[in-house]
Amino acid sequence: MTGRLRSSPPRYRKEHHRMTNIGILGAGRVGANLAGKLSAAGHHVILGRRSPTEETTAAAEGTGPRVSFADQRTTARTADVVINATPGDSSLERLADLRTELSGKILIDVSNATRDAADGLPGDLCYPGSSLAEKLQAALPDTHVVKTLNTMLFMVMTAPETLATPPTVYLSGDDEQAKRTVTGLLGDLGWQPERIEDLGDITTARATEAMILVVPHILRRHGFKPFAVSVAR
């Protein structure tokens, strides 16, 4: 699934959203990957570490001139839009502690909450019958939570055109304006409108989060190759 399609310019440019200050909680591979692409699209990005003295990960090197670093509380307070790229099994406690800083903001949740299996791959869901996104929305009632980008390996988030079959990205959230803003940011990451599937309110996130259950089986059989769990029409 690593063949390449001819890329085409994003279709959001004619009615482009304004440049945004985007905070990313988590400076690992997922956070750094998103930071590089969003900064290249013209946004100012703050990568939030757990503490100001945390070492910058190798993945975060060279993310771009519009990328800065701060502790996670400062990142949440100063950004217009915040992306949760922290480990899903600890995200709820971590972000609930930032309720004041996240008030009135859009929180894009790209994490999956699972318990690790013996081989370190994703295991059972932490919130069966619910979802991390729903738990975050309940814990952060003054924040607009939007679930997306959690059904693919991290490199596909910013380069969907690299898969031989065009992948699907899903949206779940209660606030329509927040989802429109996130749709614009997905365009900056290379996602075409016809590949963005709005599933509805935040409860629909339990469906996409459950898709993580297929991922370890695919990785064990095929290795760490880019793929996404998509709708074929």
Side-chain angles (χ1 to χ4, degrees):
M1 297 179 65
T2 56
R4 191 173 187 88
L5 300 174
R6 180 187 296 178
S7 61
S8 56
R11 301 180 186 179
Y12 293 101
R13 296 300 178 191
K14 290 184 179 179
E15 47 184 80
H16 200 278
H17 52 285
R18 66 184 177 86
M19 183 174 64
T20 307
N21 289 319
I22 299 174
I24 301 178
L25 304 180
R29 291 183 300 182
V30 174
N33 185 46
L34 291 169
K37 190 67 175 280
L38 290 169
S39 65
H43 301 286
H44 293 290
V45 180
I46 306 171
L47 270 172
R49 305 163 171 166
R50 282 176 288 186
S51 69
T53 58
E54 182 184 349
E55 289 293 326
T56 302
T57 63
E61 297 293 347
T63 47
R66 292 190 181 89
V67 179
S68 58
F69 294 85
D71 64 274
Q72 292 186 355
R73 192 172 300 278
T74 300
T75 299
R77 184 177 64 249
T78 56
D80 302 314
V81 174
V82 178
I83 298 174
N84 174 37
T86 65
D89 59 349
S90 61
S91 289
L92 182 57
E93 181 179 3
R94 190 190 308 256
L95 272 65
D97 188 49
L98 300 175
R99 176 172 174 172
T100 298
E101 289 80 5
L102 292 170
S103 179
K105 299 183 179 181
I106 296 171
L107 175 66
I108 304 174
D109 178 31
V110 305
S111 294
N112 287 301
T114 63
R115 299 175 179 87
D116 286 348
D119 58 3
L121 292 176
D124 293 335
L125 299 174
C126 291
Y127 307 110
S130 185
S131 65
L132 172 60
E134 290 173 82
K135 297 292 186 182
L136 288 171
Q137 187 61 84
L140 304 166
D142 300 320
T143 302
H144 305 301
V145 178
V146 178
K147 188 80 182 191
T148 193
L149 290 171
N150 63 305
T151 55
M152 62 201 70
L153 292 191
F154 75 92
M155 64 285 288
V156 181
M157 294 178 177
T158 58
E161 73 282 357
T162 59
L163 296 187
T165 303
T168 304
V169 63
Y170 307 94
L171 282 176
S172 299
D174 293 336
D175 187 272
E176 295 301 320
Q177 181 57 52
K179 286 194 286 188
R180 282 192 289 272
T181 298
V182 175
T183 296
L185 293 175
L186 289 173
D188 285 341
L189 294 175
W191 292 90
Q192 299 298 332
E194 65 271 15
R195 304 309 304 172
I196 301 173
E197 191 77 30
D198 186 345
L199 299 178
D201 66 27
I202 199 66
T203 64
T204 63
R206 67 184 64 177
T208 58
E209 289 191 26
M211 292 178 183
I212 190 67
L213 296 176
V214 76
V215 169
H217 306 297
I218 294 173
L219 293 180
R220 290 184 187 111
R221 288 183 65 85
H222 301 287
F224 201 74
K225 298 178 181 178
F227 74 93
V229 183
S230 301
V231 172
R233 290 191 175 92

